[in-house]
Amino acid sequence: MHDTPITMPQIGAVLNMLSIVGTFLFAASGALAAARLRQTIVTFAFFALVTGVGGGTVRDLLIGAPVFWVVDPAPALTCLNAALIVWLTPRRWWSDRALDWLDALGLAAFAVFGAAKAMAFGVHPFVAAMMGVVTGCVGGIIRDLLAGEPSILLRPELYVTAAAVSAGLFAALRVLGVDLPVAAIVAALSGFALRAIAIWRGWGLPGYQRE
Amino acid sequence: MHDTPITMPQIGAVLNMLSIVGTFLFAASGALAAARLRQTIVTFAFFALVTGVGGGTVRDLLIGAPVFWVVDPAPALTCLNAALIVWLTPRRWWSDRALDWLDALGLAAFAVFGAAKAMAFGVHPFVAAMMGVVTGCVGGIIRDLLAGEPSILLRPELYVTAAAVSAGLFAALRVLGVDLPVAAIVAALSGFALRAIAIWRGWGLPGYQRE
Amino acid sequence: MHDTPITMPQIGAVLNMLSIVGTFLFAASGALAAARLRQTIVTFAFFALVTGVGGGTVRDLLIGAPVFWVVDPAPALTCLNAALIVWLTPRRWWSDRALDWLDALGLAAFAVFGAAKAMAFGVHPFVAAMMGVVTGCVGGIIRDLLAGEPSILLRPELYVTAAAVSAGLFAALRVLGVDLPVAAIVAALSGFALRAIAIWRGWGLPGYQRE
């Protein structure tokens, strides 16, 4: 695993675009958490960075890949841009509802990208699906911890589940031999659709009920 | 350190069993934290995974070893099984008292296993003992952080101390030339005994008293 | 990145001293957080360790370097010594004000050292500056999370900013060809001066004000 070359295996333009879009959307959600707390521009930058690259960082460390934003300055610059845009634009451009939808797109994109990258590094498909969940969810978890907000994990809403559907479906389709771009798009849309229903209808999973 | 082969050096069947048992017990304690919070099955799985493999993950990252549950799907499956079992079985099977005892077993097992794996990777015995403490305690610390509970670290009860006794004694015995299985069993039992007294008698360390 | 020899490239006696002094000062601040919580000696040691080596650990993991305190027992021993000294000496030796100044020194020292180490490992100067910020700030962030205190990140006071000035100035001066010891001293003093003004005059950044 440690002999992996720094240049990540080619995993497709679709996926790379998913990663950049996801990074920007999550970074913006981090900066907005800082805005709600009336923080400074430096905190905006820090929250944007942690939320935007946090999940991918944990994934890369776990699979033994060089950390993507350390070997290439572009993702960190994307996060700082997101922080600056949120800082400079009117607050009403960023309604909670609009954000939920952007976050849903980022979640599905990151879940598929994370699973794909892990499989490209030779990780077992079952574990690769978990890496997709990590990529999608960890940034938001760290953001909530830093901001002292209740973790996204503890809400009954379908969130981690949507990431699990995207990542798991992608891994399953790839194991079944489906072409990478098709598997990526089908899996990302499925997870996004589930999350969309959760936002739209308030769907969630039942909580533990035993006495 | 990075040339280490992926196949971990053979550190004995006793230790491998300690690791599997510890993973299951900690994963169950994570799932029970989710049950107390009336969470969903997905949160159960996440908490079980983080608590079951968290300590070992930090250890592997620190010593430069491939992360154990990424190169082998078995530990993650063990955690998901633990989550499912807690979800499906009656709540009264899992009394707080019973759990404390299972957790004590897991703590001693993980502390010894962590120190042994670190020494097998060429880490200095003093640092290896600290890796044992990390392996035993970090999963529970992350679980408490995610669940918003007061950290196990902040309770005066002998907990980290028990892990330190197990891990430190194992490292010391190995430096003195004691056979691995003997050192492992003596060290695990000593830490477990200390933790048992803490549970049974409420023993703890004195807090800082200066004005 | 993974072929890097374990012996870190020679980055100068000045920097190595900065690292040791910074480790001790941060470890002491961690132990004092434990003292405020009336904790036990074991918690003192844990807090000292996490605060003293936390930032450098995250940096080393991110840049793919062997974790500095795992390949060499000295930093961990420094942290344990700091914990013991805080435990044994009178509380009034450690006034909050005195500590702020020591912490300011540690912050500047760590920020420069972190950026220098990252550049020595071939990291892009822009990302290397961020590694300096991580090295300076992460230990304190983890300490606050564990202790349940409001994060240093969320205070308007110039803190992360001071680390960013030290780390960014160092990287910029090095890119411009300035000698390492000169760049290190100028950068560390600049960040320290900014932090000193923040402590002395209560300077801070403005918070986000939009409706």
Side-chain angles (χ1 to χ4, degrees), chain B residues 1-2 61-62 124 130-131 153-154 161 205 207-211, chain C residues 2 6 38-39 42-44 49 57 61 69 73 87-89 91:
Chain B
M1 184 167 288
H2 289 285
L61 292 175
L62 291 175
H124 186 286
M130 303 178 85
M131 294 298 117
L153 264 182
L154 302 184
T161 310
L205 290 175
Y208 183 78
Q209 299 294 347
R210 297 178 197 273
E211 284 316 304
Chain C
H2 288 284
I6 286 179
R38 307 257 153 221
Q39 286 293 314
V42 170
T43 315
F44 270 61
L49 198 70
T57 301
L61 292 175
W69 63 279
W87 178 267
L88 294 175
T89 52
R91 182 73 180 78

PDB file of all heavy atoms in Angstrom, chain B residues 1-2 61-62 124 130-131 153-154 161 205 207-211, chain C residues 2 6 38-39 42-44 49 57 61 69 73 87-89 91:
ATOM      1  N   MET B   1      10.148   2.552   8.306  1.00  0.00           N
ATOM      2  CA  MET B   1       8.829   2.222   8.865  1.00  0.00           C
ATOM      3  C   MET B   1       7.838   1.954   7.751  1.00  0.00           C
ATOM      4  O   MET B   1       7.025   1.068   7.807  1.00  0.00           O
ATOM      5  CB  MET B   1       8.343   3.391   9.728  1.00  0.00           C
ATOM      6  CG  MET B   1       7.026   3.087  10.424  1.00  0.00           C
ATOM      7  SD  MET B   1       6.723   4.305  11.692  1.00  0.00           S
ATOM      8  CE  MET B   1       7.927   3.820  12.909  1.00  0.00           C
ATOM      9  N   HIS B   2       8.015   2.702   6.641  1.00  0.00           N
ATOM     10  CA  HIS B   2       7.043   2.548   5.574  1.00  0.00           C
ATOM     11  C   HIS B   2       7.337   1.360   4.687  1.00  0.00           C
ATOM     12  O   HIS B   2       6.591   1.090   3.763  1.00  0.00           O
ATOM     13  CB  HIS B   2       6.984   3.846   4.765  1.00  0.00           C
ATOM     14  CG  HIS B   2       6.333   4.928   5.543  1.00  0.00           C
ATOM     15  ND1 HIS B   2       4.980   4.962   5.733  1.00  0.00           N
ATOM     16  CD2 HIS B   2       6.837   5.972   6.216  1.00  0.00           C
ATOM     17  CE1 HIS B   2       4.688   6.018   6.470  1.00  0.00           C
ATOM     18  NE2 HIS B   2       5.785   6.633   6.784  1.00  0.00           N
ATOM     19  N   LEU B  61      -2.080   4.410  12.508  1.00  0.00           N
ATOM     20  CA  LEU B  61      -1.612   5.626  11.847  1.00  0.00           C
ATOM     21  C   LEU B  61      -0.331   6.132  12.505  1.00  0.00           C
ATOM     22  O   LEU B  61       0.621   6.525  11.823  1.00  0.00           O
ATOM     23  CB  LEU B  61      -2.695   6.716  11.902  1.00  0.00           C
ATOM     24  CG  LEU B  61      -3.952   6.436  11.064  1.00  0.00           C
ATOM     25  CD1 LEU B  61      -4.994   7.521  11.311  1.00  0.00           C
ATOM     26  CD2 LEU B  61      -3.618   6.351   9.580  1.00  0.00           C
ATOM     27  N   LEU B  62      -0.288   6.101  13.835  1.00  0.00           N
ATOM     28  CA  LEU B  62       0.878   6.624  14.548  1.00  0.00           C
ATOM     29  C   LEU B  62       2.139   5.794  14.286  1.00  0.00           C
ATOM     30  O   LEU B  62       3.221   6.346  14.124  1.00  0.00           O
ATOM     31  CB  LEU B  62       0.604   6.693  16.058  1.00  0.00           C
ATOM     32  CG  LEU B  62      -0.413   7.743  16.511  1.00  0.00           C
ATOM     33  CD1 LEU B  62      -0.684   7.610  18.003  1.00  0.00           C
ATOM     34  CD2 LEU B  62       0.080   9.155  16.196  1.00  0.00           C
ATOM     35  N   HIS B 124      10.002   1.967  20.137  1.00  0.00           N
ATOM     36  CA  HIS B 124      10.637   1.941  21.457  1.00  0.00           C
ATOM     37  C   HIS B 124       9.622   1.480  22.514  1.00  0.00           C
ATOM     38  O   HIS B 124       8.475   1.920  22.496  1.00  0.00           O
ATOM     39  CB  HIS B 124      11.125   3.363  21.771  1.00  0.00           C
ATOM     40  CG  HIS B 124      11.924   3.479  23.035  1.00  0.00           C
ATOM     41  ND1 HIS B 124      11.360   3.428  24.288  1.00  0.00           N
ATOM     42  CD2 HIS B 124      13.252   3.661  23.231  1.00  0.00           C
ATOM     43  CE1 HIS B 124      12.300   3.581  25.196  1.00  0.00           C
ATOM     44  NE2 HIS B 124      13.461   3.722  24.578  1.00  0.00           N
ATOM     45  N   MET B 130       2.665   3.473  25.415  1.00  0.00           N
ATOM     46  CA  MET B 130       1.692   4.544  25.167  1.00  0.00           C
ATOM     47  C   MET B 130       0.748   4.165  24.021  1.00  0.00           C
ATOM     48  O   MET B 130      -0.440   4.522  24.036  1.00  0.00           O
ATOM     49  CB  MET B 130       2.419   5.845  24.859  1.00  0.00           C
ATOM     50  CG  MET B 130       3.377   6.236  25.981  1.00  0.00           C
ATOM     51  SD  MET B 130       4.289   7.751  25.609  1.00  0.00           S
ATOM     52  CE  MET B 130       3.109   8.946  26.176  1.00  0.00           C
ATOM     53  N   MET B 131       1.256   3.464  23.027  1.00  0.00           N
ATOM     54  CA  MET B 131       0.402   3.004  21.930  1.00  0.00           C
ATOM     55  C   MET B 131      -0.647   2.016  22.463  1.00  0.00           C
ATOM     56  O   MET B 131      -1.778   1.969  21.980  1.00  0.00           O
ATOM     57  CB  MET B 131       1.232   2.310  20.848  1.00  0.00           C
ATOM     58  CG  MET B 131       2.194   3.221  20.118  1.00  0.00           C
ATOM     59  SD  MET B 131       1.365   4.547  19.213  1.00  0.00           S
ATOM     60  CE  MET B 131       2.027   5.973  20.077  1.00  0.00           C
ATOM     61  N   LEU B 153     -12.166  10.082  30.200  1.00  0.00           N
ATOM     62  CA  LEU B 153     -10.909  10.663  30.664  1.00  0.00           C
ATOM     63  C   LEU B 153     -11.078  11.502  31.916  1.00  0.00           C
ATOM     64  O   LEU B 153     -10.172  11.624  32.730  1.00  0.00           O
ATOM     65  CB  LEU B 153     -10.377  11.615  29.599  1.00  0.00           C
ATOM     66  CG  LEU B 153      -9.366  11.101  28.619  1.00  0.00           C
ATOM     67  CD1 LEU B 153      -8.980  12.223  27.716  1.00  0.00           C
ATOM     68  CD2 LEU B 153      -8.167  10.541  29.334  1.00  0.00           C
ATOM     69  N   LEU B 154     -12.246  12.151  32.042  1.00  0.00           N
ATOM     70  CA  LEU B 154     -12.423  13.129  33.109  1.00  0.00           C
ATOM     71  C   LEU B 154     -12.980  12.520  34.386  1.00  0.00           C
ATOM     72  O   LEU B 154     -13.181  13.218  35.367  1.00  0.00           O
ATOM     73  CB  LEU B 154     -13.325  14.277  32.618  1.00  0.00           C
ATOM     74  CG  LEU B 154     -12.830  15.018  31.371  1.00  0.00           C
ATOM     75  CD1 LEU B 154     -13.740  16.176  31.028  1.00  0.00           C
ATOM     76  CD2 LEU B 154     -11.412  15.519  31.562  1.00  0.00           C
ATOM     77  N   THR B 161      -5.558   4.450  33.764  1.00  0.00           N
ATOM     78  CA  THR B 161      -4.512   3.849  34.586  1.00  0.00           C
ATOM     79  C   THR B 161      -4.441   2.337  34.394  1.00  0.00           C
ATOM     80  O   THR B 161      -3.350   1.762  34.315  1.00  0.00           O
ATOM     81  CB  THR B 161      -4.784   4.168  36.069  1.00  0.00           C
ATOM     82  OG1 THR B 161      -5.023   5.560  36.189  1.00  0.00           O
ATOM     83  CG2 THR B 161      -3.621   3.760  36.939  1.00  0.00           C
ATOM     84  N   LEU B 205      -8.190   7.619  41.449  1.00  0.00           N
ATOM     85  CA  LEU B 205      -7.015   8.406  41.823  1.00  0.00           C
ATOM     86  C   LEU B 205      -7.475   9.709  42.454  1.00  0.00           C
ATOM     87  O   LEU B 205      -8.559  10.208  42.162  1.00  0.00           O
ATOM     88  CB  LEU B 205      -6.171   8.714  40.584  1.00  0.00           C
ATOM     89  CG  LEU B 205      -5.431   7.542  39.960  1.00  0.00           C
ATOM     90  CD1 LEU B 205      -4.746   8.003  38.680  1.00  0.00           C
ATOM     91  CD2 LEU B 205      -4.384   6.999  40.925  1.00  0.00           C
ATOM     92  N   GLY B 207      -7.809  13.656  42.864  1.00  0.00           N
ATOM     93  CA  GLY B 207      -7.747  14.792  41.944  1.00  0.00           C
ATOM     94  C   GLY B 207      -6.754  15.840  42.433  1.00  0.00           C
ATOM     95  O   GLY B 207      -6.281  15.795  43.576  1.00  0.00           O
ATOM     96  N   TYR B 208      -6.444  16.793  41.557  1.00  0.00           N
ATOM     97  CA  TYR B 208      -5.540  17.896  41.872  1.00  0.00           C
ATOM     98  C   TYR B 208      -6.186  18.786  42.935  1.00  0.00           C
ATOM     99  O   TYR B 208      -7.352  19.154  42.812  1.00  0.00           O
ATOM    100  CB  TYR B 208      -5.293  18.683  40.594  1.00  0.00           C
ATOM    101  CG  TYR B 208      -4.331  19.830  40.710  1.00  0.00           C
ATOM    102  CD1 TYR B 208      -2.959  19.618  40.748  1.00  0.00           C
ATOM    103  CD2 TYR B 208      -4.791  21.137  40.734  1.00  0.00           C
ATOM    104  CE1 TYR B 208      -2.069  20.678  40.813  1.00  0.00           C
ATOM    105  CE2 TYR B 208      -3.912  22.205  40.805  1.00  0.00           C
ATOM    106  CZ  TYR B 208      -2.552  21.963  40.848  1.00  0.00           C
ATOM    107  OH  TYR B 208      -1.684  23.023  40.910  1.00  0.00           O
ATOM    108  N   GLN B 209      -5.455  19.104  44.004  1.00  0.00           N
ATOM    109  CA  GLN B 209      -6.054  19.774  45.152  1.00  0.00           C
ATOM    110  C   GLN B 209      -5.522  21.172  45.449  1.00  0.00           C
ATOM    111  O   GLN B 209      -6.006  21.841  46.353  1.00  0.00           O
ATOM    112  CB  GLN B 209      -5.852  18.927  46.423  1.00  0.00           C
ATOM    113  CG  GLN B 209      -6.490  17.561  46.371  1.00  0.00           C
ATOM    114  CD  GLN B 209      -8.008  17.637  46.320  1.00  0.00           C
ATOM    115  OE1 GLN B 209      -8.602  18.684  46.566  1.00  0.00           O
ATOM    116  NE2 GLN B 209      -8.653  16.538  45.968  1.00  0.00           N
ATOM    117  N   ARG B 210      -4.488  21.603  44.760  1.00  0.00           N
ATOM    118  CA  ARG B 210      -3.859  22.879  45.124  1.00  0.00           C
ATOM    119  C   ARG B 210      -4.776  24.056  44.834  1.00  0.00           C
ATOM    120  O   ARG B 210      -5.546  24.035  43.902  1.00  0.00           O
ATOM    121  CB  ARG B 210      -2.554  23.064  44.347  1.00  0.00           C
ATOM    122  CG  ARG B 210      -1.521  22.011  44.669  1.00  0.00           C
ATOM    123  CD  ARG B 210      -0.270  22.222  43.841  1.00  0.00           C
ATOM    124  NE  ARG B 210       0.528  21.008  43.860  1.00  0.00           N
ATOM    125  CZ  ARG B 210       1.422  20.721  44.797  1.00  0.00           C
ATOM    126  NH1 ARG B 210       1.637  21.560  45.772  1.00  0.00           N
ATOM    127  NH2 ARG B 210       2.110  19.600  44.766  1.00  0.00           N
ATOM    128  N   GLU B 211      -4.609  25.082  45.649  1.00  0.00           N
ATOM    129  CA  GLU B 211      -5.389  26.319  45.404  1.00  0.00           C
ATOM    130  C   GLU B 211      -4.740  27.147  44.313  1.00  0.00           C
ATOM    131  O   GLU B 211      -3.545  27.197  44.154  1.00  0.00           O
ATOM    132  CB  GLU B 211      -5.466  27.158  46.694  1.00  0.00           C
ATOM    133  CG  GLU B 211      -6.450  26.582  47.662  1.00  0.00           C
ATOM    134  CD  GLU B 211      -7.738  26.152  46.976  1.00  0.00           C
ATOM    135  OE1 GLU B 211      -8.366  26.984  46.308  1.00  0.00           O
ATOM    136  OE2 GLU B 211      -8.131  24.978  47.090  1.00  0.00           O
TER     137      GLU B 211
ATOM    138  N   HIS C   2       6.436   8.441   0.595  1.00  0.00           N
ATOM    139  CA  HIS C   2       6.636   7.394   1.578  1.00  0.00           C
ATOM    140  C   HIS C   2       8.053   6.828   1.569  1.00  0.00           C
ATOM    141  O   HIS C   2       8.371   5.967   2.367  1.00  0.00           O
ATOM    142  CB  HIS C   2       5.608   6.292   1.360  1.00  0.00           C
ATOM    143  CG  HIS C   2       4.251   6.737   1.764  1.00  0.00           C
ATOM    144  ND1 HIS C   2       3.876   6.831   3.074  1.00  0.00           N
ATOM    145  CD2 HIS C   2       3.200   7.161   1.038  1.00  0.00           C
ATOM    146  CE1 HIS C   2       2.634   7.272   3.139  1.00  0.00           C
ATOM    147  NE2 HIS C   2       2.196   7.477   1.923  1.00  0.00           N
ATOM    148  N   ILE C   6      13.631   8.005   7.637  1.00  0.00           N
ATOM    149  CA  ILE C   6      13.090   8.303   8.961  1.00  0.00           C
ATOM    150  C   ILE C   6      13.821   9.495   9.585  1.00  0.00           C
ATOM    151  O   ILE C   6      13.225  10.316  10.258  1.00  0.00           O
ATOM    152  CB  ILE C   6      13.183   7.060   9.870  1.00  0.00           C
ATOM    153  CG1 ILE C   6      12.115   6.054   9.427  1.00  0.00           C
ATOM    154  CG2 ILE C   6      12.976   7.432  11.322  1.00  0.00           C
ATOM    155  CD1 ILE C   6      12.111   4.789  10.227  1.00  0.00           C
ATOM    156  N   ARG C  38      -9.520  19.900  38.227  1.00  0.00           N
ATOM    157  CA  ARG C  38      -9.261  19.085  39.426  1.00  0.00           C
ATOM    158  C   ARG C  38      -9.077  17.615  39.070  1.00  0.00           C
ATOM    159  O   ARG C  38      -9.627  16.716  39.712  1.00  0.00           O
ATOM    160  CB  ARG C  38     -10.416  19.214  40.434  1.00  0.00           C
ATOM    161  CG  ARG C  38     -10.760  20.638  40.791  1.00  0.00           C
ATOM    162  CD  ARG C  38     -10.198  20.992  42.141  1.00  0.00           C
ATOM    163  NE  ARG C  38      -9.958  22.426  42.243  1.00  0.00           N
ATOM    164  CZ  ARG C  38      -8.881  22.947  42.824  1.00  0.00           C
ATOM    165  NH1 ARG C  38      -7.969  22.173  43.362  1.00  0.00           N
ATOM    166  NH2 ARG C  38      -8.708  24.245  42.885  1.00  0.00           N
ATOM    167  N   GLN C  39      -8.310  17.369  38.012  1.00  0.00           N
ATOM    168  CA  GLN C  39      -8.150  16.013  37.524  1.00  0.00           C
ATOM    169  C   GLN C  39      -7.028  15.266  38.223  1.00  0.00           C
ATOM    170  O   GLN C  39      -6.317  15.833  39.066  1.00  0.00           O
ATOM    171  CB  GLN C  39      -7.893  16.044  36.011  1.00  0.00           C
ATOM    172  CG  GLN C  39      -9.152  16.356  35.229  1.00  0.00           C
ATOM    173  CD  GLN C  39     -10.172  15.262  35.327  1.00  0.00           C
ATOM    174  OE1 GLN C  39      -9.847  14.095  35.184  1.00  0.00           O
ATOM    175  NE2 GLN C  39     -11.422  15.614  35.608  1.00  0.00           N
ATOM    176  N   VAL C  42      -2.986  11.028  36.047  1.00  0.00           N
ATOM    177  CA  VAL C  42      -3.055  10.346  34.753  1.00  0.00           C
ATOM    178  C   VAL C  42      -3.684  11.260  33.699  1.00  0.00           C
ATOM    179  O   VAL C  42      -3.210  11.335  32.560  1.00  0.00           O
ATOM    180  CB  VAL C  42      -3.837   9.019  34.868  1.00  0.00           C
ATOM    181  CG1 VAL C  42      -4.122   8.433  33.499  1.00  0.00           C
ATOM    182  CG2 VAL C  42      -3.063   8.030  35.707  1.00  0.00           C
ATOM    183  N   THR C  43      -4.724  11.982  34.089  1.00  0.00           N
ATOM    184  CA  THR C  43      -5.333  12.929  33.153  1.00  0.00           C
ATOM    185  C   THR C  43      -4.358  14.067  32.833  1.00  0.00           C
ATOM    186  O   THR C  43      -4.298  14.530  31.695  1.00  0.00           O
ATOM    187  CB  THR C  43      -6.632  13.502  33.746  1.00  0.00           C
ATOM    188  OG1 THR C  43      -7.389  12.441  34.300  1.00  0.00           O
ATOM    189  CG2 THR C  43      -7.456  14.192  32.676  1.00  0.00           C
ATOM    190  N   PHE C  44      -3.606  14.497  33.853  1.00  0.00           N
ATOM    191  CA  PHE C  44      -2.566  15.510  33.600  1.00  0.00           C
ATOM    192  C   PHE C  44      -1.638  15.034  32.471  1.00  0.00           C
ATOM    193  O   PHE C  44      -1.340  15.774  31.529  1.00  0.00           O
ATOM    194  CB  PHE C  44      -1.712  15.730  34.857  1.00  0.00           C
ATOM    195  CG  PHE C  44      -2.204  16.786  35.788  1.00  0.00           C
ATOM    196  CD1 PHE C  44      -3.451  16.688  36.383  1.00  0.00           C
ATOM    197  CD2 PHE C  44      -1.409  17.889  36.099  1.00  0.00           C
ATOM    198  CE1 PHE C  44      -3.906  17.663  37.254  1.00  0.00           C
ATOM    199  CE2 PHE C  44      -1.860  18.870  36.967  1.00  0.00           C
ATOM    200  CZ  PHE C  44      -3.107  18.761  37.554  1.00  0.00           C
ATOM    201  N   LEU C  49       0.272  15.371  27.005  1.00  0.00           N
ATOM    202  CA  LEU C  49       0.735  14.691  25.801  1.00  0.00           C
ATOM    203  C   LEU C  49      -0.044  15.152  24.579  1.00  0.00           C
ATOM    204  O   LEU C  49       0.540  15.519  23.542  1.00  0.00           O
ATOM    205  CB  LEU C  49       0.581  13.180  25.995  1.00  0.00           C
ATOM    206  CG  LEU C  49       1.408  12.329  25.038  1.00  0.00           C
ATOM    207  CD1 LEU C  49       2.880  12.433  25.343  1.00  0.00           C
ATOM    208  CD2 LEU C  49       0.962  10.879  25.103  1.00  0.00           C
ATOM    209  N   THR C  57       1.665  15.876  15.482  1.00  0.00           N
ATOM    210  CA  THR C  57       1.210  14.563  15.031  1.00  0.00           C
ATOM    211  C   THR C  57       0.349  14.695  13.787  1.00  0.00           C
ATOM    212  O   THR C  57       0.551  13.991  12.787  1.00  0.00           O
ATOM    213  CB  THR C  57       0.396  13.874  16.153  1.00  0.00           C
ATOM    214  OG1 THR C  57       1.230  13.748  17.299  1.00  0.00           O
ATOM    215  CG2 THR C  57      -0.079  12.507  15.719  1.00  0.00           C
ATOM    216  N   LEU C  61       1.253  13.228  10.036  1.00  0.00           N
ATOM    217  CA  LEU C  61       0.360  12.328   9.303  1.00  0.00           C
ATOM    218  C   LEU C  61       0.004  12.939   7.951  1.00  0.00           C
ATOM    219  O   LEU C  61      -0.001  12.255   6.927  1.00  0.00           O
ATOM    220  CB  LEU C  61      -0.911  12.058  10.115  1.00  0.00           C
ATOM    221  CG  LEU C  61      -0.722  11.247  11.395  1.00  0.00           C
ATOM    222  CD1 LEU C  61      -2.037  11.151  12.164  1.00  0.00           C
ATOM    223  CD2 LEU C  61      -0.224   9.841  11.063  1.00  0.00           C
ATOM    224  N   TRP C  69       7.108  11.764  17.603  1.00  0.00           N
ATOM    225  CA  TRP C  69       7.250  11.268  18.982  1.00  0.00           C
ATOM    226  C   TRP C  69       7.101   9.748  19.055  1.00  0.00           C
ATOM    227  O   TRP C  69       7.242   9.173  20.144  1.00  0.00           O
ATOM    228  CB  TRP C  69       6.257  11.963  19.908  1.00  0.00           C
ATOM    229  CG  TRP C  69       4.818  11.722  19.595  1.00  0.00           C
ATOM    230  CD1 TRP C  69       4.077  12.347  18.641  1.00  0.00           C
ATOM    231  CD2 TRP C  69       3.947  10.790  20.234  1.00  0.00           C
ATOM    232  NE1 TRP C  69       2.794  11.858  18.650  1.00  0.00           N
ATOM    233  CE2 TRP C  69       2.686  10.914  19.627  1.00  0.00           C
ATOM    234  CE3 TRP C  69       4.099   9.872  21.274  1.00  0.00           C
ATOM    235  CZ2 TRP C  69       1.582  10.138  20.006  1.00  0.00           C
ATOM    236  CZ3 TRP C  69       3.012   9.108  21.657  1.00  0.00           C
ATOM    237  CH2 TRP C  69       1.766   9.237  21.025  1.00  0.00           C
ATOM    238  N   PRO C  73      11.525   8.781  21.702  1.00  0.00           N
ATOM    239  CA  PRO C  73      10.755   8.931  22.946  1.00  0.00           C
ATOM    240  C   PRO C  73      10.893  10.307  23.609  1.00  0.00           C
ATOM    241  O   PRO C  73      10.121  10.610  24.521  1.00  0.00           O
ATOM    242  CB  PRO C  73      11.329   7.850  23.874  1.00  0.00           C
ATOM    243  CG  PRO C  73      12.224   7.011  23.042  1.00  0.00           C
ATOM    244  CD  PRO C  73      12.617   7.805  21.834  1.00  0.00           C
ATOM    245  N   TRP C  87       1.966  19.382  38.275  1.00  0.00           N
ATOM    246  CA  TRP C  87       1.329  18.671  39.390  1.00  0.00           C
ATOM    247  C   TRP C  87       1.996  19.015  40.722  1.00  0.00           C
ATOM    248  O   TRP C  87       1.322  19.189  41.740  1.00  0.00           O
ATOM    249  CB  TRP C  87       1.384  17.158  39.128  1.00  0.00           C
ATOM    250  CG  TRP C  87       0.814  16.287  40.207  1.00  0.00           C
ATOM    251  CD1 TRP C  87       1.493  15.713  41.242  1.00  0.00           C
ATOM    252  CD2 TRP C  87      -0.562  15.898  40.372  1.00  0.00           C
ATOM    253  NE1 TRP C  87       0.635  14.985  42.023  1.00  0.00           N
ATOM    254  CE2 TRP C  87      -0.631  15.074  41.518  1.00  0.00           C
ATOM    255  CE3 TRP C  87      -1.736  16.144  39.658  1.00  0.00           C
ATOM    256  CZ2 TRP C  87      -1.831  14.506  41.971  1.00  0.00           C
ATOM    257  CZ3 TRP C  87      -2.922  15.583  40.106  1.00  0.00           C
ATOM    258  CH2 TRP C  87      -2.965  14.786  41.245  1.00  0.00           C
ATOM    259  N   LEU C  88       3.341  19.133  40.709  1.00  0.00           N
ATOM    260  CA  LEU C  88       4.095  19.249  41.959  1.00  0.00           C
ATOM    261  C   LEU C  88       4.331  20.683  42.426  1.00  0.00           C
ATOM    262  O   LEU C  88       4.607  20.900  43.604  1.00  0.00           O
ATOM    263  CB  LEU C  88       5.456  18.545  41.805  1.00  0.00           C
ATOM    264  CG  LEU C  88       5.375  17.020  41.632  1.00  0.00           C
ATOM    265  CD1 LEU C  88       6.762  16.447  41.361  1.00  0.00           C
ATOM    266  CD2 LEU C  88       4.756  16.370  42.874  1.00  0.00           C
ATOM    267  N   THR C  89       4.271  21.645  41.525  1.00  0.00           N
ATOM    268  CA  THR C  89       4.609  23.022  41.922  1.00  0.00           C
ATOM    269  C   THR C  89       3.366  23.789  42.359  1.00  0.00           C
ATOM    270  O   THR C  89       2.243  23.420  42.002  1.00  0.00           O
ATOM    271  CB  THR C  89       5.275  23.768  40.746  1.00  0.00           C
ATOM    272  OG1 THR C  89       4.430  23.636  39.606  1.00  0.00           O
ATOM    273  CG2 THR C  89       6.645  23.199  40.436  1.00  0.00           C
ATOM    274  N   ARG C  91       0.313  26.253  42.617  1.00  0.00           N
ATOM    275  CA  ARG C  91      -0.579  26.740  41.572  1.00  0.00           C
ATOM    276  C   ARG C  91      -0.251  28.171  41.158  1.00  0.00           C
ATOM    277  O   ARG C  91      -0.340  28.522  39.987  1.00  0.00           O
ATOM    278  CB  ARG C  91      -2.026  26.639  42.091  1.00  0.00           C
ATOM    279  CG  ARG C  91      -3.109  27.051  41.121  1.00  0.00           C
ATOM    280  CD  ARG C  91      -3.287  26.011  40.033  1.00  0.00           C
ATOM    281  NE  ARG C  91      -4.334  26.409  39.087  1.00  0.00           N
ATOM    282  CZ  ARG C  91      -4.179  27.299  38.119  1.00  0.00           C
ATOM    283  NH1 ARG C  91      -3.019  27.884  37.955  1.00  0.00           N
ATOM    284  NH2 ARG C  91      -5.168  27.595  37.301  1.00  0.00           N
TER     285      ARG C  91
END
